[in-house]
Amino acid sequence: MQTVNTASVPEFVQRMWHTLPEGRVPAKIFNDPAVYELEKERLFSRAWCFLAHESEVPHPGDYVLRWIGDNSIIVVRDEHGEIRAHHNRCTHRGNQVCKAEMGNASHFRCSYHGWTFKNTGDLIGVPYYREVYRESLRKGEWGLKPVRIDTYAGLIFGTLDPEAEPLDEYLGGFQFYLDFFLKPGPNGTEVYGPPERWVADTDWKICAENFGGDGYHTPVTHQFGFQLGFYPSSGKTHFMGYAVHIPGRGHLIGIGHTPGLPPFVGFPEEVVEGMQQALSPEQIEVFSPARMSVGTVFPNLSFLIQPFSLTPKQPGLKFCTMRLWHPRGPGKIEMFSWCLVPKDAPQSVKDELYRIYNLAFGPAGTFEQDDFENWTNLSRQNGASSAADFDLAYFQGLDWEPLKDHPGPGLAFTPYVTEIGFRNLWGTWLNYVSTPPGERVDPSRVPPAFHPPQ
Amino acid sequence: MQTVNTASVPEFVQRMWHTLPEGRVPAKIFNDPAVYELEKERLFSRAWCFLAHESEVPHPGDYVLRWIGDNSIIVVRDEHGEIRAHHNRCTHRGNQVCKAEMGNASHFRCSYHGWTFKNTGDLIGVPYYREVYRESLRKGEWGLKPVRIDTYAGLIFGTLDPEAEPLDEYLGGFQFYLDFFLKPGPNGTEVYGPPERWVADTDWKICAENFGGDGYHTPVTHQFGFQLGFYPSSGKTHFMGYAVHIPGRGHLIGIGHTPGLPPFVGFPEEVVEGMQQALSPEQIEVFSPARMSVGTVFPNLSFLIQPFSLTPKQPGLKFCTMRLWHPRGPGKIEMFSWCLVPKDAPQSVKDELYRIYNLAFGPAGTFEQDDFENWTNLSRQNGASSAADFDLAYFQGLDWEPLKDHPGPGLAFTPYVTEIGFRNLWGTWLNYVSTPPGERVDPSRVPPAFHPPQ
Amino acid sequence: MQTVNTASVPEFVQRMWHTLPEGRVPAKIFNDPAVYELEKERLFSRAWCFLAHESEVPHPGDYVLRWIGDNSIIVVRDEHGEIRAHHNRCTHRGNQVCKAEMGNASHFRCSYHGWTFKNTGDLIGVPYYREVYRESLRKGEWGLKPVRIDTYAGLIFGTLDPEAEPLDEYLGGFQFYLDFFLKPGPNGTEVYGPPERWVADTDWKICAENFGGDGYHTPVTHQFGFQLGFYPSSGKTHFMGYAVHIPGRGHLIGIGHTPGLPPFVGFPEEVVEGMQQALSPEQIEVFSPARMSVGTVFPNLSFLIQPFSLTPKQPGLKFCTMRLWHPRGPGKIEMFSWCLVPKDAPQSVKDELYRIYNLAFGPAGTFEQDDFENWTNLSRQNGASSAADFDLAYFQGLDWEPLKDHPGPGLAFTPYVTEIGFRNLWGTWLNYVSTPPGERVDPSRVPPAFHPPQ
Amino acid sequence: METGAQPRTPPGVPRTAEIPPEVRESITDFLYYEADLLDERHYEEWVELFTDDARYEVPVRVTREKKAEWDVSPTARIIDDSKEMLQVRVARLNTEYAWAEDPPSRVRHFITNIRIHPGDTEGEYAVRYNVLIYRSRGELPRYEVLSGQRRDVLRETPDGWRIAYRQVILDQSVLATYNLSYFV
Amino acid sequence: METGAQPRTPPGVPRTAEIPPEVRESITDFLYYEADLLDERHYEEWVELFTDDARYEVPVRVTREKKAEWDVSPTARIIDDSKEMLQVRVARLNTEYAWAEDPPSRVRHFITNIRIHPGDTEGEYAVRYNVLIYRSRGELPRYEVLSGQRRDVLRETPDGWRIAYRQVILDQSVLATYNLSYFV
Amino acid sequence: METGAQPRTPPGVPRTAEIPPEVRESITDFLYYEADLLDERHYEEWVELFTDDARYEVPVRVTREKKAEWDVSPTARIIDDSKEMLQVRVARLNTEYAWAEDPPSRVRHFITNIRIHPGDTEGEYAVRYNVLIYRSRGELPRYEVLSGQRRDVLRETPDGWRIAYRQVILDQSVLATYNLSYFV
Ligand code: FES
Ligand code: FES
Ligand code: FES
Ligand SMILES: [Fe+3]
Ligand SMILES: [Fe+3]
Ligand SMILES: [Fe+3]
């Protein structure tokens, strides 16, 4: 849209190239209409965006309706078992051809004039074709507009950018860490039922940052958990562990440690075995001591594994949640929250994990409630005019040194509580929104997120 | 507003000059904030916009409140029986002087400071005139701001453009076709009660197009009618008939034929007689065989005559609906739906026609429901970012030849189902929104809607 | 924001420099998105904005939450009894640190990561400070961002402009008139309970103008009062009295007279004594004969003293209301309505004054209802496109002469009903919104609001 | 000006005494049962709750001056159905082609303020009550709330209560909904 | 913190047994009748349903911390009327100059959750119930919904039930309405 | 497709006769009492109204085609609590750290359309009713309205009625709220 072009990159965004390396982030990036327009034009139009988990469309014809930016996308498994994504827009007049969140369909028939598309996207039916079109319509060119997709470990991503680099390159080694969430066993994970969906007046970015490893908020935002005795830990050691990020890519993870925890504590026995088969020695070295792990795939997909229980003072089980912080306007999101369970686990274990997840997350979740309380308030405050020249403090770990002997990709730091990865996250974001349409986004332009003293 | 100027004609609108003649229309014109601003500034500010039917203000003092663009307009019959239109804005501070949808008033008294205007618009009362104004207020200059109006066959139109050509020229011969809806007898039509009004998240343009003669959607969108046995026709012959448009003017009509129908079938006897008196031989030639007719006066007033009945498998009666697709924001309309009945018909016939109309149209209408389902979904999909470079297929009849022997004005094509008139409609729209304020809109600039092979 | 700069001062605002001195004001200034952006950037960011009355925060730790423009501001009395104002935004991530409208707090603890600020604004608590910040965070620099404040007679004002002239200069002599509302006795006024708050679709400016002394609307908008016999006055003499404004400053007041009223009629005895002690002879000369007084401190704080009673045909008591017309969007306000009572009056008098105020003002007030009816309708009409080239009539008193012997500051005119002060009000407004960021607003640029014949 | 269209029951002083408790209870149960049939989309059962001579009216509401004679149009209707016509609507909803209700709306009828008066005919009761209708649809968070008053004539039959007449006065003149594909 | 202002009836365990069914029924009918008078704008009849010593209070609701002592202001009121003052409001509405209600609002009161407790005085009952108020006005599709709880004291009189005290607790601190030109 | 999840009570013909009036009255009173405890935030008393074996379910609602088998997910839940879990939520709300409810929401539950059927067990009743929930919070004029149907199993105990099972069917698939920090 002509209403968004280089000229309209707000001053506070341009300023960020200088302030970010010094640990300052302009508050207004967390809620601004012009920023939202930039993100639609330059970020969600080019990044690999999460669409669905393969287990949501297990059978031929199964589909779910999802978003890339503000575009409705059909994710469907075709008759041959191949997963495809199409724009949910009839090519005749643009009517919505799929109206359900999920279902099964061999074809989509438009309810306006009846054009019919196979779930492969091919246009196969045009009423009165001979009578009114004669030669003038080439059906082959008018199928549903396809969306380029790729998958990793059950995750289906899509991008609107034909020039986008392959998903593997985009993930840039973060797969090493994703496996912890996605490979609890040789057969990986599945979703436990459809996601919980709701809307909130929060900017998506603060959520993505928080789940990028904000261990700093836990003892305060979720203080009730300590108060009621859900955590053995006093909060004293809560900051310990590792923070890892992929420079220039934005992806990041926090891995919390509590000294003296037994390996893989809190996982059901079956799952521990599964992980030992599915993970590499390096991955096991990194994750087996973890109390919890939380990470974000740039821009807006996050994962969390943490221990919790239905009542306080229990040993606690480790559940896994996957969440998408989907932007739906300036300072607005639509939330998708899934519980991932090990495909190989017995149903009783899956049920128990889901129920624990449910007490903590989802719109009524005891953790989720307080996170959204903070994020919605924060977004409102950062949307005010005075936020345009208000810099937020991102100083944690500015001068730290990365770990030398970290077995995984990316750069690792200790302790877990730090803001190094966040600076890389916002540097990556800045790189996208500063790169005009037509130019390629060059990861090497992202400034380093830390600078140890010489 | 300075926020709208030539510079901000979106790229996809400019592109249309090239794509439209090839049968491609950018999807985003059907829902975009910048397009809405353009339409306010360049279309509804210059076109002849429908205000009311004369039968809505039969007596001196009768008024109704209507819109031109986003401006509230009082349509009132003054003491001398002359119909007038005024801006509904007090000239002192701009307060709304008329607050009811309809009523009768010899004058409008502003409830803020009491300035009083005759229904002619003249300012006749100013409190404390002598004490506070002395010489400084010339009452003669401060009446309600008048709106230029003109009428045809009971229809009252208004325009905000003092330079606008006369209504007759603007209609450009479409009167020939309007008569079918407006002259069921020597005394024409009247409205049956006040209009039904409701709002919807649809762009007005897709509605105007649909009622410009989209016979293509009927067998699909309104398939229930065939299913339940309301139509004898199988749908097989549904595409037959004529489509007529006025080049450069946008007006268009579709006239559906079903082979072997008796003339004027479905009209009450009295009405048939009335039409035979009121219509010319050429008009009778065109309309007597029509199964149904549906047309749009550019930009957003439409008419439909179609047969329907209270229960399936009845012969069916032909009712007439008039509807205004009034824009109320980007991708939003306020709907006005009237039933027109022959003034001369007996009350029992009027009642029956209205009841049939009512089962089909209005917010609960069995036809209207499904039209709005499609239009709202379509508008939402076409409002997404990806719609900006998504072209819709408008190929029907690209290379057809107009009929040589058509007795009416404009260009006629057969069969009825075609998109030729739609291309002329959007070409006319494009001409308006591309013509900057100050310049005159030149109908001859509108590209031809078809190009037969040499 | 780059979306607002000199280039985007609407044409109708620029036109005002010429039309205002002739008594014409473009209707669209009373409801326009671009105007609202200008006001955020240039007016509310620079003017002295009313925050609270000192009696709302009587004790150390007492706070209320208020607005400057669209920014949330904490007004708090610190431990030493000093009143302070802070941005309600945590300096770490921008979370809202104070969430209640009023309360008492020695410190504000952020619920996200636990940063803790004293009510002086000082940052005194940072979790894991040593572990994660080491040297990198200088606490001294990261307290709550302070807002510059100043007070007059119990009124607390704040400004976001460090360059703003002192409050005294800004008030420019209007204190003389404010005293009538604020000094009913040596100890001044206090609020009677928290304000009534509600929202309405009206532009704040028409409210500020109305309470700047629009005696012209009273006999019409509030005609019921005469009808039911609440006022002895027939309305015939309603226009009499004085209108005063401070040139270039915008402040203005209307003082209504009814011939032959005894001095200070309608005030409780105790209050009359109080005023005689608290006011100067000049002030007493001006106010003792007043039937009522109503005035506005530029931009959006107003006061009214008028007589009213719980039932008609009573002598009536004079209550005082203070109101803030706070903008919350284009053509939208949030309303704050307080009742001010003399601090020294007996409780029974305070109770009675409040109850009378309550019958007249607040969302259910018999006067307030009709004012908002007019203002919301007026704002809607003036928000329409056609309002951009529609000039409103501001002719009252264009050629009047100011009174020679007026004992107070500013320029005084008689009668009370005139639009001279309104022209100065909008001239002052025009001066602010026309002065680009970075430049100083020069009061001398405001055109004279009247020009007597030479 | 009153909002009523003909025939209408004036507010009228409560006449409890005349209505036996079991009638109050069974009419109340009937109205809740009927609402549940609608909200669960049991349309065939629902339409059978109307008598063969039933009439179902939703008049157009118009914004008029206070002094106007009516604001409920005596002529214009949104719905003016016989039982046959209601059956047509139900039959339509049961085809595969009622696009407006596929996916179906999520509708809830909140019935309150039930007041019962003896009808003009033996065995009939004039029942006036308020109805708030909540509707959401599709995967959008948006919802709509309609408010109105229903004015029924209920008839006692061997099969239980039946609706002989229903008029629904909606509290909007420009309806804030894109369609009434559900029953109010 | 509780939302109540004085005097208030605590939720209290239901005491059905103490309230005769006919009292429940007639109080319920009375409240529905009263609501209908308001929604049909029969204001003169309506105001006569108050006792001469009646008080009608709508306190200001304030957003406070959980630990605060009150969130219903003990001092600030939106309305604090005697019967005479209510009569003034009604008289005003009946002039030609009540602009805020011309054209009139379309208002509907939804009365639910009626709970009746014996009052402190013989023949009085403390009645606590929820009220949802829907209002639309003019030719705009917009509408507003107010929610609150009414806390009445109803008195039995020879003419039937009368309202001796009414307090309406509204569930907003910044009211989402441009005026309260209608009765809550 | 029906909206119900298992176990569900079909609309079913009213069976008033089987429910003694005093049971109807006391169940009605109980539900109003319970709503008031929630709206006044007496959570400890409230949670004690559940039986020790109670289950409280809020299933996820999904937008499906008309022909789909379900739109209330048989697996996905927003809440799936035992009494212990409800007690955890209440304990949390009573800490100083339940930020989402400090300041507290202003919540009002409007209970309507109560229909009572005999339960499967002696002394139990299946109660199905509609609930409209109004919530506003903070100093913003915005509010939200949730609509749903509750399907309870109430058990008679020496202490009065207790909730043995509650399922709340919400009428949205994408919830128009940023959290459910209050009980639906
Ligand atoms: S819009 Fe899909 S077939 Fe026409
Ligand atoms: S605004 Fe109409 S008289 Fe002043
Ligand atoms: S946002 Fe306040 S402590 Fe982090
Ligand atoms: Fe968290
Ligand atoms: Fe159609
Ligand atoms: Fe006023």
Side-chain angles (χ1 to χ4, degrees), chain C residues 247-258:
Chain C
R249 296 298 187 178
H251 319 306
L252 71 171
I253 186 171
I255 303 165
H257 280 201
T258 303

Side-chain angles (χ1 to χ4, degrees), chain F residues 22-33:
Chain F
E22 62 275 13
V23 171
R24 297 166 63 96
E25 283 185 2
S26 64
I27 283 180
T28 302
D29 282 340
F30 174 77
L31 294 175
Y32 295 166
Y33 167 64

Side-chain angles (χ1 to χ4, degrees), chain B residues 70-71 88-89 91-96 99 109 111-113 115 126-128 132-134 136-137 142, chain C residues 209-210 214 216 221 223 235 373-375 380-382 384-386 390-391 393-396 400 417 419:
Chain B
D70 59 348
N71 306 292
N88 187 12
R89 185 186 293 126
T91 48
H92 178 238
R93 282 294 181 276
N95 193 20
Q96 182 171 348
K99 304 194 291 178
R109 179 176 182 225
S111 59
Y112 197 0
H113 308 92
W115 282 24
V126 175
Y128 302 126
V132 305
Y133 282 105
R134 302 172 190 166
S136 65
L137 177 75
W142 294 91
Chain C
E209 173 188 289
N210 180 283
D214 185 336
Y216 195 44
T221 296
Q223 199 161 358
E373 169 71 1
N374 287 326
W375 298 337
R380 190 162 61 255
Q381 297 305 318
N382 290 342
S385 325
S386 63
F390 190 105
D391 283 346
Y394 275 78
F395 294 129
Q396 294 176 12
W400 295 7
V417 171
E419 290 166 339

Side-chain angles (χ1 to χ4, degrees), chain B residues 5-6 9 38-43 45-46 432-433 435:
Chain B
N5 49 47
T6 309
V9 177
L38 276 177
E39 290 174 345
K40 275 195 299 184
E41 185 192 67
R42 302 177 179 196
L43 174 55
S45 59
R46 296 195 280 209
Y432 270 88
V433 299
T435 306

Side-chain angles (χ1 to χ4, degrees), chain A residues 17 74 78 102-103 191 211 218 246 253 288 352 362 374 398 422 436:
Chain A
W17 285 104
I74 306 170
D78 71 20
M102 57 180 284
V191 299
F211 271 70
T218 314
I246 311 294
I253 185 170
S288 63
E352 189 174 6
N374 287 325
L398 255 184
F422 302 162

Side-chain angles (χ1 to χ4, degrees), chain D residues 76-129:
Chain D
R77 297 277 177 272
I78 292 166
I79 296 181
D80 183 1
D81 279 8
S82 63
K83 184 176 188 174
E84 288 77 10
M85 291 162 76
L86 287 174
Q87 284 165 328
V88 166
R89 293 181 190 270
V90 167
R92 178 182 163 278
L93 285 165
N94 290 332
T95 66
E96 284 169 61
Y97 311 113
W99 311 110
E101 278 297 310
D102 196 354
S105 298
R106 289 169 290 263
V107 180
R108 199 68 66 188
H109 288 74
F110 294 86
I111 306 288
T112 73
N113 300 45
I114 299 173
R115 297 179 53 234
I116 305 170
H117 288 76
D120 312 333
T121 320
E122 174 64 30
E124 287 192 349
Y125 292 87
V127 186
R128 173 185 254 202
Y129 53 101

